[in-house]
Amino acid sequence: MQMMIEKKSLYLLTFLFFGFLIIPEIKAQDLLTPVIQSPWAEQTANLNHDYYPRPQMERSDWVNLNGQWDYAILPKGNQAPSQYGGKIRVPFAVESSLSGVGKNIGKEQELWYKRQVKIERKNKKDRILLHFGAVDWEAEVFVNGKKAGLHQGGYDPFSFDISDYLKAGADQEIVVRVWDPSDEGPQPRGKQIKEPHAIWYTPVTGIWQTVWIESVPQTYIEHVLIQPNYDKGIFEVSAQTTGITASQSLEVIISADGQEVGRKEFQPGEKAQVQVGSIKAWTPEDPFLYDAVIRIISGKRILDEVKSYSAMRKISMAPDSQGIQRMLLNNKFLFQYGPLDQGWWPDGLYTAPSDEAMLFDIEKTKEMGFNMIRKHVKVEPARWYYHTDRLGLLVWQDMPNGDHGNNWESRPGILGHGTDKVRTSESEAIFKKEWKAIMDAFRHFPSIVIWVPFNEAWGQFKTKEITEWTKSYDISRLVNSASGGNFIMEGAKITGDIIDLHNYPNAVMPDPEIYGKDQVIVLGEFGGLGLPVEGHTWQEKDNWGYQSFKTKAELQNKYTELMESMIPLIKKGLSAAVYTQTTDVEVEVNGLMTYDRKVIKFDIPILKALHNNLYQVKIEIE
């Protein structure tokens, strides 16, 4: 990839916030500039993502640690470096231009970070938590030379209580060691590959989501889960806590439009069932959110408090009047249609340059008339899902794939036949641990309606076991066992709630009379219509789409044909479809938008009208 160097001055602020004092180093830093970049990449004041990163459980006493860190790249197995080689901008992967480094690491090397911070505790008994939104893949954290913890997993948030590692005085040192074997290891890694080509993209190593610290009391809330029971009109609320005693309890208060509609006191380990009266349902057309406050109380004293929210919605399946299973939202059929969204950026790779940039993709998807997004083999920061919650977009959440190599038969219009991959016990354990961690971290968000453990048989193993575990672990959502992957195994019945076919470029579906009696039928990928836009491509030559066009008019005409062909399929039994894709990604030019987000390839009003026709198809449910 060709790069140019552009000098920019970064002005870093001194933060004084609720007892924390963070003084970043003020120093000019060169930014590597890719061949193309998004409009937000030049807005250096926003690159620190300086907003609270966990909207599902918000506290006021926190400090963002994004910005300039020292970095070094050493051979794997070395001790922490005595000297660091330069500055890296967190939260951008070291391979990205926005990191200011733009270097590949690989499995034989490790990436080291160091940051000096000042921490002033307003209460000596308070605990200090160090949070990481995501680090790919293995992160070992040291505070003042002492190991605070080790985490493996590139997509789930984690934290360590660093209180016992803080030394006298305010000055503290945080060091992070990162190792990531990319596609040379068995771990989940999505589309990353050592040598990018075709549908495989640049590796992502290191810290790629926000790093932050917060102060909590000795008795505090660790985790909150609010789940709706639509049919009963209640929210089920649970919380994990630290330090709570038998004389203390939890309390949840639910509000709608600023007015309290439910309150319940409960004990740790219990699920509070909060009745909210006449419910306000969440739909893509009206994505109403309830506010929530969860507290630990001791008598009349509030020991800890977090803000949260939820929505009253239900995802389910039921047969239509012809006996074909249909996917329902709030007990009504709604055809779900959205783009395959990979969440890659030419300048930040896995990380959007700013919250405004991240929001742009979601808002444009909504403006185009889609009601769903399939988040493809990647997990986004929590704030991304908050935006889909509040803007009203259904989300299908993929598990990032890894450890490829099993048998897969894929032919146009033919359901996947094949065998499960035999993975090592280590590989299986890594997958199961991270899949559970992802579900734990993101099952709060009501916009997520479908879990997708596997894609196109990539690393697909023990399909029945993984699918049934996923279904039992979260009964509030449907499970698409293997989008476009193997559904028919030797001697095994089809598992999961959904039959999902991939077909390019045209819209097709499996025979509903054969496959639609027990599972919902969806078209998990199709389209992929390509149009390179001069001056907005990752590389000038050898770009590709599943079917390529030379003009916007040709592209739009073909897309119109696809939409018109979808309507009889919906009537016949199709419940959802996913168009490839939201944006171009590296050498792929089959996006609705260019990779830099500067050109939208379609007329948005035309798209919206075409998509609205899909939602008008009426289906009677038994």
Side-chain angles (χ1 to χ4, degrees), residues 125-312:
K125 292 184 179 181
D126 284 353
R127 311 300 295 177
I128 305 300
L129 305 181
L130 174 61
H131 295 271
F132 295 83
V135 181
D136 198 355
W137 173 72
E138 177 181 273
E140 188 174 18
V141 179
F142 303 87
V143 177
N144 297 319
K146 298 178 181 179
K147 181 176 176 178
L150 175 73
H151 178 266
Q152 292 181 332
Y155 300 91
D156 59 302
F158 61 96
S159 63
F160 300 118
D161 184 339
I162 64 172
S163 310
D164 296 339
Y165 308 106
L166 301 180
K167 60 185 180 182
D171 295 327
Q172 315 293 335
E173 180 187 80
I174 299 172
V175 171
V176 182
R177 177 193 64 81
V178 174
W179 175 67
D180 178 19
S182 190
D183 60 313
E184 295 186 276
Q187 82 292 344
R189 43 92 178 177
K191 290 287 194 80
Q192 303 174 56
I193 193 168
K194 183 180 178 181
E195 298 180 3
H197 63 279
I199 64 169
W200 309 106
Y201 316 135
T202 304
V204 171
T205 301
I207 300 170
W208 66 275
Q209 290 186 29
T210 292
V211 184
W212 47 290
I213 50 177
E214 65 178 347
S215 176
V216 298
Q218 287 187 314
T219 302
Y220 66 94
I221 299 166
E222 284 187 52
H223 182 74
V224 166
L225 179 61
I226 306 175
Q227 291 188 301
N229 186 319
Y230 179 87
D231 293 329
K232 294 183 178 180
I234 64 173
F235 285 107
E236 296 179 346
V237 184
S238 59
Q240 296 176 8
T241 61
T242 289
I244 198 165
T245 66
S247 63
Q248 299 162 350
S249 59
L250 289 152
E251 181 182 51
V252 57
I253 304 167
I254 305 290
S255 301
D257 292 324
Q259 300 296 315
E260 182 179 322
V261 294
R263 180 187 293 246
K264 194 70 174 285
E265 190 172 332
F266 62 107
Q267 297 299 314
E270 293 181 348
K271 273 188 179 180
Q273 297 194 344
V274 186
Q275 194 80 42
V276 296
S278 178
I279 67 170
K280 295 187 177 182
W282 183 97
T283 66
E285 296 78 19
D286 184 14
F288 184 84
L289 298 179
Y290 288 82
D291 294 316
V293 173
I294 300 94
R295 298 167 171 165
I296 297 178
I297 55 176
S298 180
K300 294 184 178 180
R301 286 195 307 135
I302 299 173
L303 303 182
D304 189 27
E305 177 178 287
V306 297
K307 295 179 181 179
S308 189
Y309 71 93
S310 191
M312 192 60 70

Side-chain angles (χ1 to χ4, degrees), residues 12-76:
L12 301 177
L13 302 177
T14 298
F15 297 89
L16 177 62
F17 203 107
F18 293 96
F20 290 115
L21 180 63
I22 306 298
I23 306 179
E25 193 171 326
I26 301 175
K27 183 178 179 180
Q29 171 78 17
D30 286 337
L31 277 181
L32 297 175
T33 304
V35 176
I36 56 172
Q37 64 179 9
S38 64
W40 304 274
E42 297 178 359
Q43 300 171 10
T44 57
N46 297 327
L47 296 179
N48 284 355
H49 289 255
D50 198 13
Y51 49 82
Y52 193 80
R54 191 183 57 194
Q56 73 273 34
M57 200 180 107
E58 185 175 350
R59 285 192 177 92
S60 60
D61 201 351
W62 75 286
V63 170
N64 187 317
L65 293 186
N66 292 340
Q68 299 296 313
W69 290 56
D70 297 319
Y71 88 94
I73 300 170
L74 297 179
K76 188 176 186 298

